[in-house]
Amino acid sequence: MTSPGRVRATVHDVAAHAGVSRGTVSRALNGTGYVSAEARARIEAAIAEVGYVRNNAARNLVMRKTWAIGFVVHEPHQLFLEDPNIGGILLGTNAVVAEADHQLVVLVVDSDDDAARVSSYLRGGFVDGAVLVSARSHDQVADAVEEIRLPAAFVGHPEGRPAIPYVGIDNRAAARTLTTRLRDTGRRRIGMLASALDRDSGADRLAGFRDALGPRFDEHLVVADPLYSYHAGVSTMTELLRRAPDVDGVFAASDAVAAGAIEALRSAGRTVPDDVGVVGFDDSAWALRCNPPLSTVHQPAAEMGRAAARLVLEQLEGRTPESVTLPTDVVWRDSA
Amino acid sequence: MTSPGRVRATVHDVAAHAGVSRGTVSRALNGTGYVSAEARARIEAAIAEVGYVRNNAARNLVMRKTWAIGFVVHEPHQLFLEDPNIGGILLGTNAVVAEADHQLVVLVVDSDDDAARVSSYLRGGFVDGAVLVSARSHDQVADAVEEIRLPAAFVGHPEGRPAIPYVGIDNRAAARTLTTRLRDTGRRRIGMLASALDRDSGADRLAGFRDALGPRFDEHLVVADPLYSYHAGVSTMTELLRRAPDVDGVFAASDAVAAGAIEALRSAGRTVPDDVGVVGFDDSAWALRCNPPLSTVHQPAAEMGRAAARLVLEQLEGRTPESVTLPTDVVWRDSA
DNA sequence: TTGTACGCGTTATCAA
DNA sequence: TTGATAACGCGTACAA
């Protein structure tokens, strides 16, 4: 099990070449403590001469710090490949983490095996903190994080993890804006395709819908499904049409749901937006792929990533930051 | 700079609790060497009792191995966010690396600063090997890899790096297939929007185009641009129309170029595919976004990722693997 | 089958 | 301002 490359130079070698002690070299390297200009010059020459590069395993061992932060993406294949939000979050997190001289390490959870391996990676002390994207409540990775008290932050808001701060968006306010607009553009019978009412995001979107409609809210026009999926959109829209054939406005709880709804409407011979106005949520890849393109809520992905990174960094400094809720923008396209 | 958590248990603690020596615990942990069933049982109990978790910094230091492999993504924002190929490559690499009990660590290069930081990360011995996606020839990261002789593999084929094996596709054969089909479906005046002729991929695509046309090849109908970009597509298509107003088939060197070409054709009042058939290359996000959707060359992304991972793993075992060229599939959609 | 003792390459403490 | 020297936590010959 010999390593293939040549043996790397150590501080010891540098010290010998420079005619100083290891301690002096270390101080020069880290800019900490005193070191004379002359010694520094000799050390720098020696470093170049022997091709020294610091051994981080040794450094991490003694410093109990890795200068690395994990970015755990916990999505089914499809979403990871398609959802532009994930990429934006990643870039935002990376920017802040890099600025703080840490290294971002992206860990992909794509199977149960992956979850186990990533958990033990986090437990293994390879990173000083972690950003968790779209984790669920019962999540092996989150368990590990909580158990070892790894400084971490969620992007999104899984319930039942009060110990870990999160970066969320104001689902309720966004839903309110969307629904109000539907109403103000003349829609009289407005329904909602609600999803995941057992999660905060789902419940809050329904609450915002209700807020906007006030006394005109009609429980009969809310059709629920456990999932934020295309198929959920098809089936709930079909059911909504059955309950209220004269529906002319629909708030779908996500873009995928909206896409399914549009398909169901088309099958039923309705046109969008003429017969029925449809709005979605997330501004995911679905939004532009739909025909017509979806009016939807744009998530400030990069800013969410930046905020999550700051949450972790602050914990690294010993602080106990509060969770963050970010405002959203609604983008009006052609579907309503 | 005290760490926030409680002090973690060490092999020493486990040994004390189990009433054995540190050496025995270590052997039990790694399944190497002899250890009695009784001792093993006591050790396992002790591990659970004190909540031991191995310190990898120490382990890496002594073993000179990290069990981690880097995945360096070196793309401008846009591409990273949009190109589904990257995600596929990532998932493929992750699967193989995980199978080999290594951890994949994704490093995003999104700026010059990032390049410097990632380079020093690789130099720092945090990973045992690396997969480099779409690196360019003059690349700080590749320099680092070559210099420290880190076991690595490219996805794609940058020139001037003979020391590092790569996973590529047969650009020439794919271009030949595409062009032949254009010819066989009755196109008489077929042009090519060539890009990046200074790179192997660009040169090979042109060579395949020429192969397919044989004696009917007309240099006049090849318009070149340095970039694989949408704008390159617009300008080269415009120029091609100027040179040959009767052109009825176009091979664009990438999907982005094809998208630009379609736009230019539309501006010129030509319809696709009726007036002019257009084919692209890559099966990227552009392909489906185009109207009509593009006929193009599908890259076997996951398999490319798997192959690259294998290339690295083999080097870790001391072998010297050859570069790999993978076959591609052409997907026929509506643009030609 | 088990225990002892050394080495991995740094950083940090403290006396000089 | 510098140099010894002690950790850091683990794997592993080698001896028992």
Side-chain angles (χ1 to χ4, degrees), chain A residues 17-74:
Chain A
H17 268 72
V20 299
S21 76
R22 303 209 300 274
T24 305
V25 174
S26 178
R27 263 169 284 144
L29 247 25
N30 299 292
T32 164
Y34 300 100
V35 43
S36 65
E38 188 203 334
R40 186 181 304 278
R42 289 223 305 278
I43 288 169
E44 276 166 12
I47 287 177
E49 198 175 342
V50 303
Y52 169 78
V53 22
R54 171 174 83 194
N55 180 318
N56 284 293
R59 180 171 209 249
N60 295 348
L61 176 59
V62 62
M63 295 188 73
R64 296 149 172 279
K65 184 145 168 62
T66 65
W67 300 96
I69 289 179
F71 183 93
V72 182
V73 184
H74 198 237

Side-chain angles (χ1 to χ4, degrees), chain B residues 13 46 68 84 87 94 100 102 121-123 132 152 163 172 182 229 249 260 314-315 336:
Chain B
D13 304 322
N94 188 50
H102 288 242
Y121 187 84
L122 297 181
R123 291 192 133 92
L132 274 20
R172 185 164 183 166
L182 232 34
S229 71
E314 286 178 28
Q315 291 175 68

Side-chain angles (χ1 to χ4, degrees), chain A residues 66-74 89-90 93-94 97 102-109 118 121-123 125-133 141 145 150-155 305 308-313 316, chain B residues 103-107 121:
Chain A
T66 65
W67 300 96
I69 289 179
F71 183 93
V72 182
V73 184
H74 198 237
I89 296 167
L90 171 59
T93 302
N94 188 51
V97 161
H102 288 243
Q103 174 61 52
L104 192 67
V105 166
V106 182
L107 275 6
V108 184
V109 177
V118 167
Y121 186 84
L122 297 182
R123 290 191 134 92
F126 284 103
V127 294
D128 297 336
V131 170
L132 273 22
V133 179
V141 175
V145 164
L150 187 71
F154 285 114
V155 175
R310 282 187 220 108
L311 247 26
V312 173
L313 257 16
L316 255 27
Chain B
Q103 174 61 53
L104 192 68
V105 166
V106 182
L107 276 6
Y121 187 84

Side-chain angles (χ1 to χ4, degrees), chain B residues 175-195:
Chain B
R176 204 184 296 132
T177 305
L178 230 34
T179 311
T180 300
R181 159 81 173 228
L182 232 34
R183 204 197 52 199
D184 290 350
T185 54
R187 309 290 176 179
R188 317 305 301 169
R189 288 276 278 174
I190 304 177
M192 174 167 180
L193 311 181
S195 280

Side-chain angles (χ1 to χ4, degrees), chain A residues 151-173:
Chain A
F154 285 114
V155 175
H157 182 191
E159 291 99 62
R161 298 284 180 185
I164 307 176
Y166 63 85
V167 178
I169 56 170
D170 193 340
N171 284 290
R172 185 164 184 164

